[in-house]
Amino acid sequence: MALAASGGSAAGPCTLPVLLLFLPGLAAGPAGMLQPRDTPSRERRELGGLWSFRADLSPGRDAGFAQRWYRRPLRQTGPVIDMPVPASFNDITQDPSLENFIGWVWYEKEVLLPLRWLQGDPAPRVVLRFGSAHYYSIVWVNGVQVVEHEGGHLPFEADISSVVQGSPGSLCRITVALNNTLTPHTLPPGSIQYMADKSRYPKNYFVQNTKFDFFNYAGIHRPVVLYTTPAAYIDDITVTTTSSDSVATVQYQVSVVGSTANSLSLSLRDQEGKVVATGDGPVGELKVLNPSLWWPYLMHENPGYLYSLEVRLQAQLGGALLEDVYTLPVGIRTVHVTSSQFLINGRPFYFHGVNKHEDADIRGKGLDWPLIVKDFNLLRWLGANSFRTSHYPYAEEIMDLCDTYGIAVIDESPGVGIKLPESFGNRSLQHHLAVMEELVRRDKNRPSVVMWSVANEPASELPPAAHYFKTVIAHTKALDPSRPVTFVTDANYALDHGAPYVDVICVNSYFSWYHDPGHLEVIPLQLTAQFENWYKTYQKPIIQSEYGADSVPGLHSDPPMMFSEEYQQALLREYHSVLDKKRKEYVIGELIWNFADFMTNQGTTRVLGNKKGIFTRQRQPKAAAFVLRDRYWKIANESSCLPPAITSHSLFL
């Protein structure tokens, strides 16, 4: 789908402005989406730092298109400010209108390209890639439109070779128009509501409504990269692995663009750099003797073991011999689901982990390396072996560390807040299928990704949900038969139309919080009934995918009262008493809501955001963090094969 990009008059009070409408027309994306890496044949250059920025404050949000701001430097169109990239734009300034701005904003960056990127016969291919921008993007280079993309959490890119190599000089002016409007057919969905009462609201006053409980941050959230490849290049690699006691098989498929006469060679190296297997050709398999398997954290003394698969292309193009090299991290592991277990490398795996958000002070959802590393240190201190990417795909940089550290991931699409009947129609379904294709294409080779989640808390009790989720789940399985697929439900077990199609039941419940608030004594009965009803109905393993309570740091109460740290502790312990019984049967995991406090829309039930974190938004522990840490290390010590010397205290003093 594409946004209308022409001017127009401001809409009436009951209709959307022209430039907030989403219309058909988005072309299919490229076949491959390999993460940019520096190799002997490839260069990459990050474009982080300060970009020029301007919000389109015109009544129809259409001035930028009517006046063609992309045709000249943005500073020549009117006042601009500095905006950091990557970052959300909402919390950067002191302007309250920007904090809640809905519509088009414009970014610009001027870059000088190395001459070697523009010369040669054939000249190298130059690609502009965005890690993510929320929500809808149109990109120009030197005034020429190069790409459009719908979706705020996955990468997109454009081959800009013909634009930059055909321009005088080496200046590359990148202009981005970005729109954060959500409609019933976006993912996540939303709606625009106009306030028609002129005695209470200004003319054309509207608000963005959503059905999810986190702030709709917007901006260029992840790195923007320019990178090069040879004119003939490796476009995509797909790897799957199997293993027995002493031999592993790495099956591969490589696609090449730009040449039909070529040779492909592959070398698999261990962490010491030793070549353990070689192959050639676009399709084949590598045999690895006595493999080092990829294990989750605390399941093995050497978790997160990664091999390096070097793929080398030699291609004749015209009179030139070209070579492209790409190195892909590979973890050898298997995943299998039974009626009561989740098996990694044939051993039962219990998810003792968290739900997270990409969220922090000032930067919003912008990627921030110190924060990422701090979070992983806290995860390992906690004894967490897993998390769910609630409620959208996380940055590739975060996924890289999951691969390296052995953190198992339930990789979730942006399918959160699917509540309205119109969000289950064919238009929404087709976009959801496209998003799953993008997600699988990006993360299919990651050993840390052990399951796909297609949605969170949809209105799966509605009749159209049956066809919708049957289709989305079947499509995801066709894209990747090697992993189980789920979605996360909060519907009644007897009414859920999507549950028959998942491999694992993921259930959210907030007993004694949203239900029977303040009554901790109801948790054992209600939680036990929840598990037994779901398992009796579906005979599938169950994950308690969310549970928790808000707590205000420093607020204390004895006996425990809601919002105190003691109440959060007590609620966790009540859940844990039931989980300890059921994890011996068919419950295969528990994920606390939430890892850290996070920002939400303003409302009477939220005090500067959601306070269900066991850490504050600044990553300081609440009392509940120590309850969870003791529990997770106890579970790890019960089920792991670690040497006795490896404990929580020996790893993190």
Side-chain angles (χ1 to χ4, degrees), residues 14-41:
C14 297
T15 59
L16 295 177
V18 169
L19 292 175
L20 298 179
L21 284 175
F22 288 77
L23 303 174
L26 181 66
M33 190 60 76
L34 292 174
Q35 188 173 353
R37 301 183 188 278
D38 287 306
T39 76
S41 61

Side-chain angles (χ1 to χ4, degrees), residues 27 68 150 160 229 263 314 371 398 517 526 530 582 600:
R68 300 181 179 180
E150 178 181 359
I160 63 170
T229 74
S263 65
Q314 290 188 325
L371 186 74
I398 292 175
Q526 294 184 4
Q530 168 197 279
K582 295 303 179 183
T600 64

Side-chain angles (χ1 to χ4, degrees), residues 3 29 36 96 144 186-187 238 254 256 271 282 331 358 384 401 405 413 439 441 470 487 521 547 582 599 617 626 644:
L3 280 165
V144 178
T186 58
L187 210 63
T238 302
V254 181
V256 172
Q271 290 188 347
E358 291 182 314
L401 290 184
Y405 294 154
S413 85
L439 177 57
R441 180 177 63 189
K470 180 181 180 180
F487 75 90
E521 65 275 9
Y547 72 103
K582 295 303 179 183
M599 188 52 63
R617 202 180 189 208
F626 297 95

Side-chain angles (χ1 to χ4, degrees), residues 335-409:
V335 172
H336 181 65
V337 175
T338 72
S339 63
S340 60
Q341 290 183 315
F342 195 99
L343 304 175
I344 295 182
N345 300 330
R347 282 177 47 195
F349 176 74
Y350 187 79
F351 293 82
H352 45 91
V354 303
N355 295 278
K356 293 181 90 277
H357 265 299
E358 291 182 314
D359 173 277
D361 289 330
I362 301 173
R363 59 193 62 75
K365 291 192 179 302
L367 182 134
D368 181 77
W369 272 115
L371 186 74
I372 290 171
V373 175
K374 178 66 173 180
D375 281 2
F376 274 92
N377 283 330
L378 289 175
L379 285 170
R380 295 189 293 174
W381 172 87
L382 196 64
N385 63 7
S386 55
F387 66 75
R388 174 169 63 114
T389 67
S390 48
H391 299 299
Y392 39 82
Y394 290 177
E396 290 164 292
E397 292 79 0
I398 292 175
M399 305 299 286
D400 287 342
L401 290 184
C402 292
D403 289 339
T404 301
Y405 294 154
I407 302 297
V409 176

Side-chain angles (χ1 to χ4, degrees), residues 483-545:
R483 290 178 178 88
V485 180
T486 189
F487 75 90
V488 177
T489 183
D490 64 348
N492 182 283
Y493 75 96
L495 302 176
D496 195 309
H497 292 292
Y501 307 107
V502 303
D503 298 302
V504 174
I505 301 291
C506 288
V507 182
N508 294 349
S509 60
Y510 289 90
F511 303 126
S512 89
W513 189 257
Y514 296 123
H515 311 283
D516 300 296
H519 293 280
L520 294 166
E521 65 275 9
V522 306
I523 293 176
L525 179 64
Q526 294 184 4
L527 185 59
T528 299
Q530 168 197 279
F531 289 139
E532 291 178 351
N533 288 331
W534 278 101
Y535 193 72
K536 181 180 179 181
T537 304
Y538 294 103
Q539 297 293 301
K540 296 176 181 179
I542 300 171
I543 296 175
Q544 182 67 45
S545 42

Side-chain angles (χ1 to χ4, degrees), residues 187-222:
L187 210 63
S191 61
I192 296 293
Q193 180 181 4
Y194 270 86
M195 304 303 184
D197 187 346
K198 294 182 180 179
S199 68
R200 301 178 62 194
Y201 302 100
K203 183 180 178 181
N204 292 331
Y205 187 84
F206 65 90
V207 294
Q208 171 81 77
N209 292 324
T210 58
K211 300 290 186 179
F212 53 81
D213 188 31
F214 56 92
F215 192 79
N216 186 35
Y217 279 113
I220 301 176
H221 282 155
R222 296 174 190 162

Side-chain angles (χ1 to χ4, degrees), residues 575-593:
Y575 265 81
H576 296 164
S577 66
V578 178
L579 286 163
D580 278 339
K581 298 173 184 176
K582 295 303 179 183
R583 68 185 174 94
K584 297 178 174 64
E585 302 176 33
Y586 47 76
V587 171
I588 60 167
E590 55 192 76
L591 305 176
I592 190 71
W593 188 268

